[in-house]
Amino acid sequence: MGISGKTTCMLIFLFQSLVSFAQNDLFEVQKLNVGDGLPHRSSYDIVQDHSGFIWISTPGSINRYDGYQVKNHDFQTLNIDENTFTHLAIDKNNRLWYCERKLLRQKAKSGILDIDKDSLFSIKQFSKGLFDDNDIVYVGQSNISKNSILLATKQGSIYTYNGTFKKVFDFKKPFVKPVLCEFIDDGKLLILSGNALSIVKKGSSIIETYYLKDEEETFLRIISASPRIILESHNGKGKRYWQISEEKLIPYSFSTRDDNKDFLFYTGEHYDYYCNNNHIIIQNKDGIIVFEYTIEENIKISTDFNKVFLDRQNILWASSQNGVYKIIRKKNYFETTQEGNSIRGIYSEGQTLFIGGYTRNLMLDIKSKAVSNFPEENDAFSSFQRDNKGNLWIGTTANRIYKYDAQKQQWNNFKLVNSENLYLTYQNPSTEKIWIGSGNGLYYIENKNNTVKPFRLPAGGSFTSNTEIRQFYQNKEGLWIVTNTGLFLMDGSTEKIKKHFTKKDGLPEDNLNFLYEDREGIYWLASKLGGLIRWDPDNNSFRQFTNKEGLSNNTLYAVYEDDYNTIWLPSNYGLMRFDKTDHTVQVFLPENGIAHEEFNTFAHHKAADGTLYFGGINGITTFHPKNIGLNKDTNYPVYLTRLQ
């Protein structure tokens, strides 16, 4: 045992870099296909009615999806061809309009389904003779003017329906190519047909028309109508993208991993959505990919996305030749950092976060995210503590501890040859003695000559009992020492062991990682392999919670309580939120935004403001419980569809 000194000018080096944190949103992809009730894997149009149901057109069928089941309306009921897709739209009275998607030289059938009354109308009947049944070649629901239905007739006229029919433009010649319509800013109307793009000004017959140079190239989709016009076309070789800029039709460029293979299918305020042969890719506006979904079947979908629809719950639906993809964007309540660093210790003071890890030990400015390295980088730091003189003590996963003398600005390290690791330090406020918890017993620093001395624990009657110290906790009963061989209670004044609690005293498990005392005086113990233990010391009663009671894993590393009667449990498989009243468990995994599913023994901390930090084998998960919107009172959309 010995001591060596090292002097440095200051504790914190100049800030050297910025730490990157995870995005604020999470994404989940679900798939709806034949096995879920669709009559065909190929799908085209998608709309949502006023009751919240999703309507999907497949060949010869229109299907209502309620989130669980699919109800089919087949071609015989709808009076359409057996193998034909339909355009869809919902009017303000919750009626479903449909029109066959056919070449214009063919007769397109159409109709209106009153969803609430389950009755069917022909276009001629509904319009009171304004249109014949084969006049309509396109119906669509505007994303800009939500209550408006857009209709195109084969004679070249464009109508809107918002309770009454109104002709908004007439080309005065028949359409010869398929038609798409949408309102854009300032009430203008965008009309696509073949290789022509026309913009009709509100209340005017003046139009601006743009043409693709290749007459055989055809506009396929309106990807965005506001605030930018972004269009998709196909020229027989592949897809291309266009935008209107300074009253010119110019190519629209985007940046992904491979512009030649990635295809844009939706653009939103914060993210762009792409697909290629076997992936759905989401990237933010900085061009950083934040989510990638691999489709199980090796089926090309890149050229097969037909309609993309954002519903009222901000769920994105994308139809394809391989089913319907439901892309759910959820708020990420967790912040993650230090990806790639296996975290061993965490501690905070004010706006400074101290981090120990196998890859790097560092200090992080919580506000600016700037980081600096510790002067000592030889060992992974596992704990941090200030003593009553302001000195910083640091435990490690090696056989030494560090002390930084704040007054002298001097580093000292204490090395113990016969110990594998000196994880923890703790200063007894009564005696001011520094105690050290190691992987094979309890030690302390003798002040006379600054040497590390062993303290003989009564476990097995021998100091070499491989007792691993995992926590120090002091209350009115004394100093609790949490170990893999039970709980030791030390008298804070005499520093003699008063009691050794084990299974013989009723503890369900001896191998313990953490002790937490709640406001009612109940002890909660995190165990290794034995789950969570509730101990009422007044009557010495115990209750054990394991995976049989809903825990995701039986190895827990810590217990931290928030202000909402719940405790947080980092484990070997997920972060758990445990309700102390009804004992229900919520489990958070990487898909919920945490850094990694596996946490570490000493890598946890609760800051003065209540912020929780949990470190694992791939970085740190940070959050404040007040910001977690995942309580039991989470509001899910419920629609009353019918009273009977």
Side-chain angles (χ1 to χ4, degrees):
M1 293 173 282
I3 177 172
S4 63
K6 182 177 180 180
T7 303
T8 182
C9 295
M10 58 192 304
L11 170 61
I12 300 178
F13 284 177
L14 294 176
F15 289 150
Q16 297 172 333
S17 61
L18 295 178
V19 177
S20 61
F21 286 78
Q23 74 269 12
N24 294 325
D25 295 295
L26 298 170
F27 295 91
E28 177 186 354
V29 175
Q30 298 176 4
K31 187 176 176 183
L32 183 65
N33 215 322
V34 175
D36 305 292
L38 288 180
H40 199 286
R41 68 172 52 242
S42 292
S43 57
Y44 182 67
D45 211 349
I46 305 175
V47 294
Q48 183 179 34
D49 68 23
H50 300 316
S51 298
F53 295 121
I54 299 296
W55 294 81
I56 303 164
S57 69
T58 57
S61 181
I62 301 175
N63 313 279
R64 190 195 75 177
Y65 179 58
D66 62 9
Y68 298 95
Q69 295 178 322
V70 176
K71 179 181 178 181
N72 309 121
H73 296 265
D74 63 21
F75 65 98
Q76 293 175 326
T77 303
L78 300 170
N79 190 30
I80 59 176
D81 289 345
E82 184 176 358
N83 298 312
T84 304
F85 286 118
T86 53
H87 299 286
L88 302 177
I90 299 286
D91 68 18
K92 66 177 184 179
N93 293 314
N94 208 32
R95 291 181 290 243
L96 178 70
W97 297 56
Y98 61 91
C99 168
E100 288 183 319
R101 180 176 175 263
K102 285 187 173 182
L103 298 174
L104 297 190
R105 63 177 178 269
Q106 299 173 313
K107 291 183 179 181
K109 301 173 185 177
S110 57
I112 300 170
L113 176 64
D114 190 317
I115 296 169
D116 297 328
K117 297 179 180 179
D118 203 21
S119 56
L120 199 63
F121 301 91
S122 69
I123 290 290
K124 183 176 182 179
Q125 176 188 3
F126 189 84
S127 68
K128 297 180 180 179
L130 179 61
F131 308 110
D132 286 333
D133 288 337
N134 299 125
D135 281 349
I136 305 300
V137 295
Y138 170 80
V139 295
Q141 187 170 4
S142 172
N143 290 316
I144 306 300
S145 180
K146 297 294 185 181
N147 289 323
S148 295
I149 299 292
L150 287 162
L151 303 97
T153 69
K154 63 183 180 181
Q155 292 85 6
S157 299
I158 306 296
Y159 286 81
T160 61
Y161 178 80
N162 192 359
T164 59
F165 291 97
K166 179 182 178 181
K167 184 186 288 188
V168 292
F169 193 73
D170 192 346
F171 280 96
K172 300 190 182 302
K173 60 180 180 179
F175 287 114
V176 295
K177 295 290 180 68
V179 185
L180 294 173
C181 305
E182 177 60 287
F183 286 108
I184 56 177
D185 295 336
D186 302 324
K188 294 178 181 178
L189 183 64
L190 177 68
I191 305 170
L192 300 179
S193 181
N195 71 329
L197 179 160
S198 299
I199 298 177
V200 179
K201 295 182 179 179
K202 184 178 182 181
S204 172
S205 60
I206 301 173
I207 63 172
E208 299 168 353
T209 303
Y210 306 88
Y211 294 95
L212 298 172
K213 292 182 179 180
D214 184 354
E215 293 184 359
E216 299 301 319
E217 189 167 0
T218 301
F219 285 112
L220 292 180
R221 286 196 306 120
I222 301 170
I223 291 176
S224 173
S226 177
R228 296 177 299 171
I229 298 174
I230 303 174
L231 309 169
E232 181 184 75
S233 71
H234 195 279
N235 62 2
K237 297 180 181 178
K239 290 186 177 183
R240 296 203 293 177
Y241 299 88
W242 306 89
Q243 64 178 335
I244 302 293
S245 178
E246 297 180 352
E247 298 185 351
K248 294 181 179 179
L249 181 66
I250 63 173
Y252 173 75
S253 61
F254 54 88
S255 176
T256 61
R257 299 171 307 173
D258 190 339
D259 287 355
N260 296 321
K261 293 182 179 179
D262 290 348
F263 297 91
L264 179 70
F265 66 89
Y266 183 78
T267 180
E269 182 180 357
H270 303 289
Y271 302 98
D272 293 324
Y273 298 71
Y274 301 89
C275 60
N276 63 25
N277 289 345
N278 205 34
H279 296 84
I280 292 173
I281 303 160
I282 302 173
Q283 69 178 30
N284 62 24
K285 294 302 181 178
D286 294 326
I288 299 172
I289 294 176
V290 299
F291 179 80
E292 189 166 344
Y293 172 79
T294 301
I295 299 167
E296 293 182 4
E297 301 90 341
N298 189 21
I299 298 175
K300 292 186 178 181
I301 63 164
S302 58
T303 59
D304 297 334
F305 275 126
N306 298 316
K307 177 69 179 288
V308 180
F309 169 72
L310 187 69
D311 72 12
R312 294 195 298 277
Q313 285 73 48
N314 290 317
I315 296 173
L316 195 67
W317 301 78
S319 65
S320 77
Q321 292 187 8
N322 188 32
V324 176
Y325 293 85
K326 180 181 177 183
I327 304 173
I328 304 168
R329 174 183 165 191
K330 300 175 287 187
K331 181 176 176 59
N332 186 359
Y333 297 99
F334 302 100
E335 190 177 70
T336 61
T337 187
Q338 284 295 294
E339 181 180 1
N341 194 2
S342 184
I343 307 302
R344 299 292 140 172
I346 307 173
Y347 173 70
S348 69
E349 289 180 347
Q351 290 301 311
T352 302
L353 187 68
F354 298 81
I355 301 170
Y358 277 145
T359 303
R360 188 181 183 192
N361 300 311
L362 56 96
M363 289 164 284
L364 168 68
D365 185 279
I366 296 172
K367 284 187 175 180
S368 69
K369 312 304 182 189
V371 299
S372 59
N373 291 329
F374 274 95
E376 296 288 349
E377 285 287 349
N378 296 326
D379 309 315
F381 297 167
S382 56
S383 67
F384 308 85
Q385 189 210 15
R386 289 282 183 193
D387 65 19
N388 59 2
K389 296 180 181 178
N391 300 314
L392 180 66
W393 292 85
I394 300 174
T396 75
T397 58
N399 60 345
R400 76 181 80 204
I401 61 172
Y402 295 98
K403 172 189 174 185
Y404 177 75
D405 190 315
Q407 294 182 346
K408 297 180 181 179
Q409 294 186 344
Q410 184 179 45
W411 279 93
N412 296 311
N413 71 73
F414 299 80
K415 190 172 183 179
L416 191 62
V417 177
N418 295 325
S419 178
E420 294 180 359
N421 27 52
L422 300 180
Y423 290 125
L424 300 169
T425 63
Y426 178 80
Q427 184 179 45
N428 185 346
S430 299
T431 64
E432 299 186 355
K433 182 180 291 184
I434 299 295
W435 290 90
I436 303 170
S438 82
N440 63 345
L442 181 64
Y443 298 84
Y444 65 94
I445 293 181
E446 188 180 68
N447 291 330
K448 291 183 180 181
N449 53 13
N450 275 337
T451 56
V452 179
K453 294 287 188 178
F455 183 90
R456 196 176 303 278
L457 288 170
S462 171
F463 173 74
T464 59
S465 59
N466 295 320
T467 298
E468 183 173 281
I469 312 299
R470 292 169 179 164
Q471 185 199 9
F472 295 101
Y473 171 70
Q474 192 154 17
N475 64 5
K476 63 182 181 180
E477 301 296 329
L479 177 60
W480 294 88
I481 304 170
V482 182
T483 78
N484 64 329
T485 58
L487 292 173
F488 294 90
L489 179 58
M490 176 184 284
D491 186 291
S493 300
T494 64
E495 297 188 317
K496 293 182 179 180
I497 299 298
K498 296 166 56 176
K499 176 70 174 175
H500 181 203
F501 294 88
T502 65
K503 287 184 178 181
K504 296 179 180 179
D505 304 284
L507 276 176
E509 300 289 338
D510 288 340
N511 198 344
L512 304 173
N513 284 327
F514 197 85
L515 181 150
Y516 166 70
E517 181 182 10
D518 69 16
R519 289 180 287 270
E520 289 75 35
I522 302 298
Y523 293 152
W524 298 85
L525 300 166
S527 76
K528 189 171 185 178
L529 301 177
L532 178 66
I533 300 167
R534 182 187 185 275
W535 177 21
D536 186 342
D538 289 341
N539 54 30
N540 198 38
S541 63
F542 298 88
R543 182 170 179 181
Q544 189 173 15
F545 301 91
T546 66
N547 53 15
K548 294 180 180 179
E549 287 73 35
L551 299 188
S552 60
N553 191 265
N554 289 335
T555 293
L556 310 178
Y557 293 115
V559 180
Y560 287 94
E561 187 171 9
D562 59 24
D563 295 328
Y564 310 101
N565 204 41
T566 57
I567 53 181
W568 294 87
L569 311 169
S571 77
N572 266 351
Y573 186 70
L575 175 64
M576 284 172 267
R577 185 172 181 265
F578 180 88
D579 191 300
K580 289 170 54 182
T581 303
D582 61 17
H583 305 150
T584 56
V585 182
Q586 285 178 293
V587 182
F588 303 99
L589 296 169
E591 53 263 36
N592 305 117
I594 66 173
H596 195 273
E597 64 190 31
E598 183 177 334
F599 294 90
N600 286 326
T601 305
F602 305 107
H604 41 78
H605 174 70
K606 184 176 183 179
D609 66 355
T611 300
L612 293 173
Y613 298 89
F614 295 108
I617 64 175
N618 190 36
I620 300 172
T621 299
T622 306
F623 65 99
H624 196 294
K626 69 180 181 181
N627 298 325
I628 299 290
L630 299 173
N631 296 294
K632 294 180 182 179
D633 59 354
T634 298
N635 292 320
Y636 294 95
V638 177
Y639 301 99
L640 184 64
T641 60
R642 181 173 298 174
L643 290 175
Q644 188 172 357

